[in-house]
Amino acid sequence: MPLPDGVEDLAAAASRGDPAALDPLLAAVRPEVLRLCARLLPHREDAEEACQDALLALARGITRFEGRSSFHTWLHRLTANRARSTYRALRRRWLVEAGGVPLPEPPDPRRTSVVAGTRLDLLDALDAVRPELAEAVTLRDVLGLGYREIAGLLDLPEGTVKSRVHEARRQLRLRLSDQPSATEGR
């Protein structure tokens, strides 16, 4: 989904330190950020929390946007990273609140939709692979960026991006195939 017209200009102005550009930029990108977070996180409340984290990170880090990639691409990377970080924080919080009781593995299909369970499995699997692999495959397979766009964003050769995506997919397939299916044990 393309960002509204003028967002690239607002991003450029905000990255140069123009305080009048930041609020309109945040308002313009919020729907897209929420949509991207919802693609990764299965529950609306979690996606909204990740969206807020991503917008805060955007506000704090906009001066680091150098324009090497489009703002849209930079925003995708920031959002994917914040959504994964939010998931890890929610998981840690749950473990503390549950008194160390482990999370149910896999999620209970009677209380969790198939889509939600799949996303949770994917997020757990992404946490188990090297960060550079997880980032590349998230940008490609979850957020739908092209190899060339990812290469520009990560400042890597396109072949390296393809290699990382390939290796991440291989590792994820192995990890996800080790997961017991929701129908086992019935």
Side-chain angles (χ1 to χ4, degrees):
M1 172 181 279
L3 293 170
D5 289 339
V7 167
E8 294 282 342
D9 293 335
L10 284 171
S15 73
R16 291 189 303 269
D18 181 350
L22 186 57
D23 284 341
L25 175 65
L26 293 173
V29 301
R30 186 184 190 289
E32 175 70 359
V33 170
L34 181 57
R35 185 183 72 76
L36 293 172
C37 289
R39 289 180 73 179
L40 280 163
L41 298 164
H43 303 292
R44 174 97 182 158
E45 299 83 16
D46 298 343
E48 288 172 353
E49 184 171 333
C51 176
Q52 291 305 313
D53 287 348
L55 293 174
L56 182 60
L58 168 62
R60 289 181 174 163
I62 188 64
T63 57
R64 290 190 299 273
F65 173 62
E66 299 170 351
R68 287 191 322 221
S69 63
S70 73
F71 175 72
H72 184 259
T73 301
W74 185 82
L75 180 66
H76 274 69
R77 180 183 191 191
L78 180 139
T79 301
N81 288 335
R82 295 312 311 158
R84 288 180 38 239
S85 293
T86 297
Y87 173 73
R88 285 190 296 275
L90 290 169
R91 187 177 173 94
R92 280 191 306 273
R93 186 182 321 153
W94 189 92
L95 289 171
V96 167
E97 290 172 2
V101 174
L103 289 169
E105 296 289 343
D108 184 347
R110 294 168 296 192
R111 296 183 319 162
T112 307
S113 74
V114 172
V115 171
T118 303
R119 284 191 224 161
L120 292 174
D121 291 343
L122 176 61
L123 286 165
D124 286 341
L126 284 168
D127 269 352
V129 300
R130 292 191 331 257
E132 65 273 14
L133 299 179
E135 181 175 44
V137 78
T138 299
L139 292 170
R140 176 70 185 147
D141 291 347
V142 178
L143 300 182
L145 298 182
Y147 290 111
R148 181 172 293 147
E149 202 172 10
I150 297 167
L153 180 62
L154 300 180
D155 198 24
L156 294 169
E158 194 171 333
T160 301
V161 171
K162 288 179 180 180
S163 173
R164 286 183 181 182
V165 169
H166 174 77
E167 180 59 20
R169 286 175 179 162
R170 187 189 69 74
Q171 289 184 25
L172 290 172
R173 265 193 305 276
L174 286 173
R175 292 192 179 282
L176 292 171
S177 67
D178 286 344
Q179 301 277 334
S181 75
T183 58
E184 282 182 20
R186 286 191 187 166

